Amino acid sequence: MSVASRCRFWDDARVGVAGENGLNTEDLEPLRSHLAELKEEHRALDDAIHRLAEGPFVDQIRLTRLKKRKLQLRDVIARLESRLIPDLNA
């Protein structure tokens, strides 16, 4: 399954924290590993953006697309991390 399709899967699944919606700690492991993969991709995009921007000829369209993808990943990462944090009001 590609990273993009996994992002859509986890985004659409509305996965909660342990104890909510019948999830237990075993159910959270795939979520945590997916989160680690997204963070790795985010770091790789950051490196690619820096290398592309430092080159003698900057492809602005490609640079813009990479930055947009990086922002999308940041948003998905933030949503997944917030789902892993237990609800303190409960």
Side-chain angles (χ1 to χ4, degrees), residues 49-60 63:
I49 289 168
H50 286 296
R51 281 194 312 273
L52 185 62
E54 291 174 353
F57 302 103
V58 178
D59 182 354
Q60 289 297 324
L63 187 63

Side-chain angles (χ1 to χ4, degrees), residues 4-73:
S5 61
R6 283 183 290 194
C7 289
R8 284 190 295 276
F9 169 77
W10 286 112
D11 194 38
D12 294 341
R14 305 283 185 234
V15 177
V17 295
E20 292 181 7
N21 303 324
L23 292 176
N24 56 32
T25 54
E26 292 89 31
D27 294 332
L28 293 177
E29 285 309 312
L31 181 62
R32 287 187 179 113
S33 81
H34 178 63
L35 185 58
E37 290 173 8
L38 291 176
K39 286 181 177 183
E40 184 178 329
E41 183 181 353
H42 187 269
R43 282 189 297 272
L45 278 171
D46 192 41
D47 292 340
I49 289 168
H50 286 296
R51 281 194 312 273
L52 185 62
E54 291 174 353
F57 302 103
V58 178
D59 182 354
Q60 289 297 324
I61 293 173
R62 184 170 183 216
L63 187 63
T64 302
R65 288 179 181 162
L66 290 175
K67 287 181 178 182
K68 185 175 180 178
R69 175 66 183 150
K70 184 180 167 194
L71 288 173
Q72 290 170 338
L73 279 174

